[in-house]
Amino acid sequence: MNVKFARLGAAGNEQPVVLVEDGNGAAKYFSLSGLTQDINGEFFATDGIARTRKALESGELPEISAEGLRVGSPIARPSSVIGIGLNYAAHAAESGATPPEVPVVFLKPANTVAGPFDAAPIPPSAEKYDWEVELGVVIGKEASYLSSVEEAAGHIAGYVAANDLSERDYQIPGSAGQWVKGKSLPASSPLGPWFVPAGQVDAGNLSLRTWVNGEPRQDSNTSDMIFDPATVVHHLSQYMVLEPGDVILTGTPEGVALSGRFPFIQPGDVVEIEVEGLGRQRQEFFRADGNLAAVSAGDAAFAGDAAAR
Ligand code: ZN
């Protein structure tokens, strides 16, 4: 049975759900509140995906209406959000870099995670805010000093769509050698709308696309990645402990504003990203005024939007 996982409800008060599609574009939503506290590290560490399938088959899960509910990040609170840079050769070229021989690794604070349709703040003085559609990898079990790429593949629980929003002046000229300042901004890691288990996705052949105000920007495929997800997980495990529920953003393909081919994000712009099989996100951007509360003001996205896609 193909299943997708989501978290629905107001920011900070989402409930875990599983979606079952009927093949005709309609989805049924079942609450997981009786099965798990949330879709988090503990869920993955305690075989939550298999327990969900079993509970669905035995008819134990209550069906709910998703009508009018905000869609949150499908993963509650990773302990780490890890970014991989320059993992597509054409994007490395448009960034003025040569393709790396080992993965370029950076970290994003876990508090950058946002819902896929939440209104997105542009930092008060930022001029170069940029989109990055990416395949997000979700870790299923603790990974440390893994011995092989094959072993690493077994530590991947599944995948999410991600937008690795990046401020280029903070990332590059203002970096003093580290990208972190351009990658840590509030709500700069929208995830979702769904988490899809690994067995349902051919992660090596997924189209990745971006539109700004309806005009195409990025249009590539994960088959063009330099380091594939299992290689990345194996590599990272030599340097850090990956915990269940951690998210790895595997890099973006060409077609970002940094290339000089497109303007950077302006207030009022609508950015949509889509990863094949993992759903589509939509963010409307506004200028942050320094008040973080404004970030949650635009919770105007509904589960119906996600189901329609
Ligand atoms: Zn990125």
Side-chain angles (χ1 to χ4, degrees):
M1 185 189 304
N2 279 356
V3 292
K4 296 175 179 175
F5 294 83
R7 296 170 61 254
L8 305 180
N13 199 27
E14 296 92 342
Q15 65 167 314
V17 303
V18 60
L19 288 76
V20 180
E21 286 165 335
D22 67 2
N24 297 315
K28 286 185 173 178
Y29 294 75
F30 299 89
S31 174
L32 292 175
S33 294
L35 185 134
T36 186
Q37 199 176 6
D38 213 333
I39 300 176
N40 54 17
E42 190 186 344
F43 174 78
F44 294 110
T46 58
D47 231 359
I49 298 171
R51 288 191 291 119
T52 299
R53 289 186 197 281
K54 204 173 158 201
L56 270 174
E57 278 158 18
S58 60
E60 288 168 34
L61 300 177
E63 187 173 350
I64 61 158
S65 168
E67 194 76 30
L69 294 179
R70 170 184 167 273
V71 183
S73 160
I75 307 298
R77 176 80 180 195
S79 71
S80 295
V81 179
I82 302 130
I84 303 298
L86 307 172
N87 199 15
Y88 291 79
H91 172 63
E94 76 177 356
S95 305
T98 49
E101 287 174 15
V102 293
V104 175
V105 178
F106 59 92
L107 289 168
K108 301 192 74 157
N111 69 4
T112 59
V113 171
F117 308 108
D118 291 348
I122 301 172
S125 58
E127 301 292 338
K128 293 187 176 176
Y129 213 36
D130 205 349
W131 56 86
E132 292 194 346
V133 63
E134 305 198 9
L135 174 68
V137 170
V138 180
I139 295 297
K141 54 183 176 181
E142 188 175 287
S144 181
Y145 303 129
L146 299 178
S147 60
S148 68
V149 171
E150 292 67 33
E151 187 187 7
H155 287 67
I156 296 173
Y159 301 93
V160 292
N163 192 354
D164 176 21
L165 291 162
S166 306
E167 212 292 335
R168 303 307 187 185
D169 274 340
Y170 305 167
Q171 180 191 346
I172 302 169
S175 72
Q178 291 267 340
W179 290 357
V180 173
K181 285 184 284 186
K183 297 285 191 175
S184 299
L185 294 152
S188 64
S189 303
L191 302 181
W194 311 306
F195 164 80
V196 182
Q200 297 174 207
V201 178
D202 177 4
N205 182 24
L206 300 175
S207 71
L208 304 139
R209 294 192 289 173
T210 303
W211 300 262
V212 177
N213 302 324
E215 294 175 14
R217 294 289 186 262
Q218 295 177 283
D219 185 359
S220 291
N221 192 289
T222 56
S223 62
D224 292 332
M225 271 188 195
I226 298 170
F227 304 106
D228 69 16
T231 300
V232 165
V233 169
H234 174 253
H235 182 81
L236 292 175
S237 81
Q238 310 308 313
Y239 307 100
M240 63 182 79
V241 178
L242 300 172
E243 296 183 15
D246 282 356
V247 176
I248 303 166
L249 309 183
T250 56
T252 201
E254 62 153 338
V256 296
L258 177 64
S259 68
R261 290 156 57 203
F262 310 110
F264 288 97
I265 301 170
Q266 302 299 316
D269 281 354
V270 171
V271 175
E272 293 171 276
I273 64 138
E274 182 173 53
V275 181
E276 183 180 358
L278 303 180
R280 189 189 281 219
Q281 303 185 357
R282 178 188 190 278
Q283 290 108 30
E284 184 169 346
F285 284 77
F286 66 95
R287 180 69 71 180
D289 62 2
N291 174 9
L292 273 180
V295 173
S296 61
D299 291 342
F302 298 96
D305 289 348
R309 288 163 180 149

